[in-house]
Amino acid sequence: MGTVKAITIVSDTEVVVDMMVRRDAAAHIRLNAVASIASDGLMGNKLVSIEPLTGTSGPLIDGSVLNTLTRARYRRDAARARHLQR
């Protein structure tokens, strides 16, 4: 659905990933989505995972910047969101 064009290491805990996303895929990604680095299986190929969040937001457009969360914080926040939806 896209290609990583560049990775810039900002610090030992932060990177900036410049991506190109296909227009047909971008139409389904909202600006409030959360991006994270994930692993593709046991061999550890890395990929960018884009997770939707609840709520309304416009579609991804050229130059958009997505929010990121650490995996631990994302799991905690997702669990909290599931709890609030009950």
Side-chain angles (χ1 to χ4, degrees):
M1 297 199 350
T3 304
V4 172
K5 299 306 282 181
I7 300 172
T8 305
I9 299 174
V10 177
S11 69
D12 62 343
T13 60
E14 183 179 357
V15 297
V16 174
V17 178
D18 184 21
M19 302 182 299
M20 290 185 65
V21 179
R22 287 190 343 226
R23 288 196 189 279
D24 61 327
H28 301 284
I29 300 171
R30 298 290 172 223
L31 292 171
N32 66 345
V34 175
S36 63
I37 305 295
S39 179
D40 183 25
L42 296 176
M43 297 309 291
N45 294 326
K46 299 298 182 200
L47 55 90
V48 177
S49 174
I50 301 174
E51 304 284 334
L53 294 181
T54 58
T56 58
S57 183
L60 198 65
I61 58 173
D62 286 343
S64 296
V65 176
L66 294 177
N67 291 316
T68 61
L69 293 176
T70 63
R71 182 58 70 186
R73 182 174 166 203
Y74 177 76
R75 286 185 182 137
R76 184 191 70 221
D77 290 351
R80 182 181 303 136
R82 281 193 300 273
H83 177 70
L84 294 174
Q85 291 175 350
R86 291 182 189 171

